[in-house]
Amino acid sequence: MPSILLNTPSERLRGAQLDAVRHLLTRVLPGNVFYRRKFGALDPASLRTLDDFAQLPFTTKADLITDQVEHPPYGTNLSFPLDRYTRFHQTSGTTSGRPLHWLDTAETWDWLTGCWATNFALIGLRPTDRLFFPFSFGPFLGFWTAFEAAARCGFLVMPGGGLSSTARLRFLLDHRCTVLFATPTYALHLAEIASKEGIDLASSAVRALVVAGEPGGNIPGTRQRLEAVWGARVFDHYGMTEVGPVAVEAEGRPGELYLLESDYLAEVVDPQTGRPVPDGDTGELVLTNLGRTGSPLIRYRTGDLIRMAPAPDPTGRTWRRLEGGVLGRADDMIHVRGNNVYPGALESIIRRFADVAEYRIHVDRRNPLADLRLEIEPVAGDGRALAEEVGRAVRDALCFRIDVSAAPPGSLPRFEMKARRVVYQK
């Protein structure tokens, strides 16, 4: 695959990506039943431009789930014999209800860890950094690749599996860890425990939080709270188990995630029509991972809404940037009494209130018009006055009223990995 550097001129970058797409298809199509069935007798050499490539059919999560149901347990999106595969992971199943199983060869695992090596360079990790991963590694890809990539790059990496959250905090302090990898939710949960334990995180050695797995790193209220309680810079990261590590914030460029265009071809389309939208407009991200040949995804509709920054990068980098990170999911929009709202918009308001420890959104879709209710958990007290205050803030920001109630302190669930704060009644 051709080398595509951060400052590759745009026209040359697109040409290199077209070459990479042809190379990918040449390697994949001979043995991959899933994509042979989808693309027919496609000759990769017939793709003269990226516009030609954009005429190929999309891949959707529904396609993948159906394939794995009909051909259990791994489906037919495998380019090589099964004995070539060395890694298994699966998705969390939060959007489809059924996890996708995903296999990687040693070669594609190297590609995934190489993506993280690029991320580390953009974040600005230092040889002296100590990286802490405070969760138990399971089948969800999570930070598996980040952990292995960091060790390969020569960083001191520390796992926190099998420890309670309190023990993880003590571990982090005892070993003077400088970089924490976690979901935004779990980083906030650790801060909540630290406050109860009388631990001042802002005075710890932690200088950076790399957050992923859910929106939050670029939700202003969540980001501000994280940076305040940890006294550290937040770096948002975006990736998916079935796709890989896709984009990350760079040192000196907060609020924008650089798309790893050396390893991904990205398109942005209208979620309804599937037609391209221009940079600066919000649309659904469609990805092709250029190096995951063993279990590729080609023109994959992620369901994630993003906005490509329209202005040139003042640093001279030519890789495109996701402005504000992931803005929401196309299927997460809640229609409430003529208003459209994403959970991230509510989180942005709720996180302004330091006295809110946790929250849960209830969506009742049993009637023709959905009803939305918000449950907040105060740090202390009965929370009734706080609930009224949050309700007013929602009304002022979103121009409609919702019912906000207070739950007893400590009663709402806490999450180590991806949070599930939206509860639907159908």
Side-chain angles (χ1 to χ4, degrees):
M1 197 167 73
S3 175
I4 304 173
L5 304 177
L6 263 167
N7 58 354
T8 300
S10 296
E11 186 174 343
R12 192 185 306 165
L13 187 153
R14 303 299 163 220
Q17 288 180 321
L18 178 60
D19 289 342
V21 163
R22 293 192 193 112
H23 176 76
L24 172 71
L25 291 168
T26 299
R27 291 207 64 197
V28 163
L29 289 178
N32 191 297
V33 173
F34 179 85
Y35 278 111
R36 278 211 315 274
R37 191 166 56 235
K38 184 175 281 287
F39 295 157
L42 173 70
D43 177 5
S46 68
L47 302 176
R48 305 287 184 181
T49 66
L50 289 177
D51 287 339
D52 292 340
F53 174 70
Q55 302 309 306
L56 297 179
F58 292 117
T59 303
T60 66
K61 183 165 284 190
D63 294 339
L64 299 170
I65 291 171
T66 299
D67 180 55
Q68 293 193 357
V69 168
E70 294 177 350
H71 305 277
Y74 308 122
T76 61
N77 185 17
L78 300 172
S79 305
F80 309 114
L82 200 57
D83 61 8
R84 289 273 300 275
Y85 292 83
T86 59
R87 296 279 185 164
F88 166 84
H89 290 282
Q90 67 182 33
T91 64
S92 62
T94 51
T95 56
S96 65
R98 181 186 180 94
L100 284 170
H101 299 149
W102 221 256
L103 298 179
D104 281 291
T105 64
E107 177 188 12
T108 58
W109 191 256
D110 285 344
W111 174 79
L112 288 164
T113 57
C115 291
W116 266 107
T118 303
N119 287 338
F120 296 151
L122 285 166
I123 292 168
L125 294 193
R126 304 164 187 167
T128 54
D129 276 322
R130 300 179 183 184
L131 282 51
F132 184 44
F133 296 80
F135 43 78
S136 301
F137 288 100
F140 176 50
L141 187 64
F143 286 115
W144 268 101
T145 45
F147 185 89
E148 290 208 8
R152 293 184 185 191
C153 291
F155 297 106
L156 179 58
V157 292
M158 299 188 175
L163 302 176
S164 68
S165 293
T166 301
R168 287 168 178 167
L169 280 171
R170 296 295 177 188
F171 185 99
L172 176 146
L173 295 172
D174 290 345
H175 293 275
R176 298 191 56 78
C177 298
T178 60
V179 183
L180 177 80
F181 289 74
T183 62
T185 292
Y186 193 62
L188 285 170
H189 179 52
L190 288 176
E192 180 185 9
I193 293 173
S195 177
K196 292 176 181 176
E197 295 285 329
I199 297 171
D200 179 16
L201 288 179
S203 65
S204 74
V206 175
R207 69 175 189 86
L209 308 176
V210 182
V211 297
E214 60 190 28
N218 263 299
I219 292 176
T222 303
R223 186 187 190 97
Q224 289 163 12
R225 183 182 292 194
L226 282 169
E227 293 189 334
V229 297
W230 282 92
R233 162 70 195 278
V234 167
F235 290 89
D236 198 10
H237 170 265
Y238 168 66
M240 305 172 76
T241 294
E242 66 270 39
V243 177
V246 177
V248 73
E249 265 185 279
E251 193 175 27
R253 295 292 298 164
E256 296 181 339
L257 277 66
Y258 282 91
L259 180 71
L260 273 61
E261 295 206 89
S262 55
D263 295 283
Y264 293 90
L265 177 63
E267 307 167 63
V268 187
V269 303
D270 184 296
Q272 302 301 318
T273 67
R275 295 174 181 165
V277 302
D279 289 353
D281 288 359
T282 300
E284 181 183 355
L285 182 62
V286 176
L287 289 170
T288 298
N289 43 16
L290 300 173
R292 207 173 187 181
T293 52
S295 50
L297 281 178
I298 300 170
R299 301 205 74 217
Y300 181 58
R301 294 190 66 154
T302 64
D304 291 318
L305 298 176
I306 61 102
R307 181 172 53 246
M308 289 291 185
D313 186 350
T315 69
R317 296 166 177 156
T318 55
W319 289 0
R320 289 181 292 172
R321 293 109 59 214
L322 280 57
E323 199 171 58
V326 174
L327 307 176
R329 287 194 55 79
D331 53 4
D332 273 354
M333 181 185 284
I334 305 167
H335 303 275
V336 184
R337 296 189 295 275
N339 299 279
N340 298 328
V341 61
Y342 286 99
L346 288 171
E347 178 172 352
S348 184
I349 298 166
I350 295 163
R351 292 304 187 196
R352 298 177 195 166
F353 296 87
D355 290 333
V356 176
E358 256 302 343
Y359 71 94
R360 185 160 53 190
I361 301 168
H362 297 266
V363 183
D364 188 343
R365 288 178 168 166
R366 292 175 293 181
N367 297 314
L369 296 178
D371 188 43
L372 182 66
R373 181 168 63 86
L374 176 62
E375 194 177 10
I376 63 159
E377 179 195 313
V379 172
D382 66 15
R384 283 179 291 183
L386 179 62
E388 292 179 5
E389 197 174 352
V390 171
R392 285 195 297 272
V394 171
R395 182 193 62 206
D396 293 345
L398 302 181
C399 300
F400 66 90
R401 187 187 304 273
I402 65 172
D403 179 43
V404 182
S405 61
S411 63
L412 294 185
R414 298 320 195 248
F415 304 92
E416 182 176 305
M417 294 301 290
K418 189 178 294 188
R420 304 187 186 199
R421 291 195 179 94
V422 184
V423 178
Y424 293 96
Q425 291 177 286
K426 298 179 181 180

